[in-house]
Amino acid sequence: MGKKKKKKEKSPVAMLKRAERLFRKGNYPSAKKDFEEINKYLRDEEIAEKIKVCEREIRQLKTKDLIKRGRKNTRKGDLKEAIRCFEQAYDICGEDWIPKKIRELRTELSSRRSSEAAKDAEKAGDYEKAAVLYEKALVTQESEDLLLKKASSLVKAGKYDEAISIFKASELSDDGAVYDYGFALAKTGAYDQCLKIWEMIESLQDTFLKQRALVQSLLATTLFEEFFQIRYSPPTVYGKRFATIYEKGMYLLEGLKIKTRHSNPETLLIDLQGIVEYGRYASIDWLWKEERYEAIRKLLLPYPSEMDADLLALCAKTFFRLAEISGTYLPDLTMFWLTAVHTHEIVVKLSENDKDREAVRESLIQRAEDVIKGYAETGGPSSKGALRCWLVEKELIRDLSLLAGDQDTPQLESDSELMLVCTPHFARQFGLSDHVLRLIRENRDAFSDIEHYLRTGAYYSSAGQSLFHLHREEYEESLASLPQGGARPQSNPANGEAEFVKYGVERVNFAYGLHCLEKGEPRAARYFESAADLFKKSRRYEKEFTDKAITCHDLDQMEQYEDALADIHTKRPSEAIKDALSLTMVRRAIRLYNHRRLNIKAAEAVVAKALMINPDNDLARSTLERMKVDLDMEELIKAINKFKMNKACQVAAKSKHQEVKEEFFEFMERNIEHVDDMEIDEHEKVILLNDFFKWCARVDESHPILYDIDEMLKELE
């Protein structure tokens, strides 16, 4: 083995260089050690100062490390160790923020200890103490979970009101909290609120279901007790309490399946329905006195499947008051008011005298109509549409009242309990449409004509809603709401509405087609495919259509009218359709010719065809004559311009129009006047004049121009 090398002793200069290098690199512990070793010998003040810098930097590094460890322990939840690290850091650096941090950690540690203690108290069954400890923990630790635990402890401790106030202000995150909240409500007698809260729980456990059934039973019992306390009191005195009975009872009846320990649950259910209905109308009496008509409207909903006279009268009065306030309720006013004033049980109460009764009825109808007219005069399209619908329904219900006989004595045995004298909307709402349609069909001969019969039935059929859309000028909705979109109307064969639906579809398609024409839409013509059938039922629609056609001035619309009239003419060649088609063809041809979009020959062909359709069309006849003149004139001028005089003579000779012949001779006169000015010899002039004579004679052998030509020839000879 070789000899061990002796370790060289470092010189002070080398050690100083090394210390300086470590100092610059920030390795303060090693630099401090070397500086201290060197300064034992050198006693240098500058080195001593650097030693102090190293000591300061070392303290800062240690402080940073302790703070880092403290924060790490805080995140880990080791608050005790975190506090020790921050305390040591403060002892080193003395920074102002560290004591505050230490206090926060100590408070949090205390809170955690309180929370743990609260859990121990819960396990021991001391819920009141647990609630206090949770409150102590909450002082320093804001936590929804701790708050809900406190509330649950309060419930178990029997402090329900305190627990409810906490639950009410919190977000219920789990079924346990929801259950405790409901339980607290039930314990304070708020059974309906308990059940509503428990709706959040989807559990089907038998224990929970039994508890819920028990609360339902308690709620029902409470409602009965409340009702029997005030049932003989005036509704206006205890209106709010009756309203509460109604609201809670409806919730119990509608929202839940009643399961109680009652010996006869079916009887209980019937009794409960009775007090709920009583509470409903008692509430309405109170609300009427308070003039809270909107609240009454809500109590009237949903409407029953069948309506008795008393409820009908109440609905009519309510919507009259609401309509006075807002135009939104005009359709409801129309539906209930017109039906009410034509209902036997209501009408007989208007007056003992039949004559006076009828006067009162008309007065009531006029009152409602005045309300609707007020909106129509100052409102927008919807209000005007409401008035149009009112007028239609007023006419319809009067027709029905005549069909039903004496308005105050129902005549139909099978329908004696039904309100057949009603508006279409009322019939649709309460399932009376089929009965009304039967009444209409059985009294077909009572109508003034077929269109009157079909129109009345159509409004009560499945196409009725589309017709009312027309009155509101809602054309797209009208078409869309037709059975099967109006293409092939589907109706219920059992109720015999097919003929009414067919008429309704024809009406809607006809009106929609006119709407498309007015809007300039190219799809209009197809909606007049069934117009011929509609015109057979009523000539007023035919007149409406033909009047619009013959007064139309827009070329594109005229084309669509012409196409539609031509199609209708093939199915229904009535005098009115023939007249309108013929006139429209002529007017359009003239306009196209004047706009240079049709040449004269094509225009003449159209006018000639129009005259064939209607030989009495004076416009067609005069236009055709004028066009023939123009055609002959055009042909004559064309021949003259090309110096084809034989052709010109032929046209002028054959033309039956004096204007054409005169044009020919005016041309010849102009030429004769300029013969002397022509630079030709006399022989050539003779030849030319002979040609002039020949041409003129072919057109008219007795025309005076022939004598002028003959005189000129004599002079030249």
Side-chain angles (χ1 to χ4, degrees), residues 20 59 91 117-118 123 141 148 215 219 221 265 276 317 330 352 386 423 425 502 507 516 519 550 593 628 633 688:
E20 291 288 356
R59 285 196 301 272
D91 289 341
K123 290 177 182 178
Q141 187 179 351
L148 292 175
V215 175
L219 175 56
T221 302
V276 166
K317 291 188 294 183
L330 296 182
E352 295 181 359
T423 68
H425 285 99
K502 184 176 184 297
R507 275 276 308 276
C516 290
K519 300 284 285 184
I550 63 180
Y593 174 70
K628 285 181 178 179
M633 195 73 77
L688 183 59

Side-chain angles (χ1 to χ4, degrees), residues 463-474:
Q465 194 61 35
S466 294
L467 294 173
F468 282 108
H469 279 304
L470 285 185
H471 293 300
R472 291 190 289 269
E473 297 182 349
E474 298 166 349

Side-chain angles (χ1 to χ4, degrees), residues 58-75 78-95 97-98 101-102 105:
I58 289 168
R59 285 196 301 272
Q60 288 180 357
L61 287 172
K62 190 171 183 180
T63 301
K64 287 180 181 178
D65 181 61
L66 286 167
I67 291 172
K68 183 178 179 181
R69 286 161 53 199
R71 287 172 175 165
K72 185 176 181 181
N73 284 311
T74 301
R75 288 193 297 272
D78 190 350
L79 299 184
K80 188 174 180 181
E81 180 61 23
I83 291 169
R84 188 185 67 77
C85 290
F86 281 113
E87 285 177 339
Q88 289 182 3
Y90 181 69
D91 289 341
I92 295 170
C93 67
E95 292 187 17
W97 65 271
I98 294 178
K101 181 67 177 179
I102 292 170
L105 291 172

Side-chain angles (χ1 to χ4, degrees), residues 131 150-151 154-155 158-168:
K150 175 191 173 183
L154 288 170
V155 171
K159 296 187 175 183
Y160 304 114
D161 290 329
E162 289 183 54
I164 289 170
S165 64
I166 293 173
F167 283 126
K168 192 178 292 185

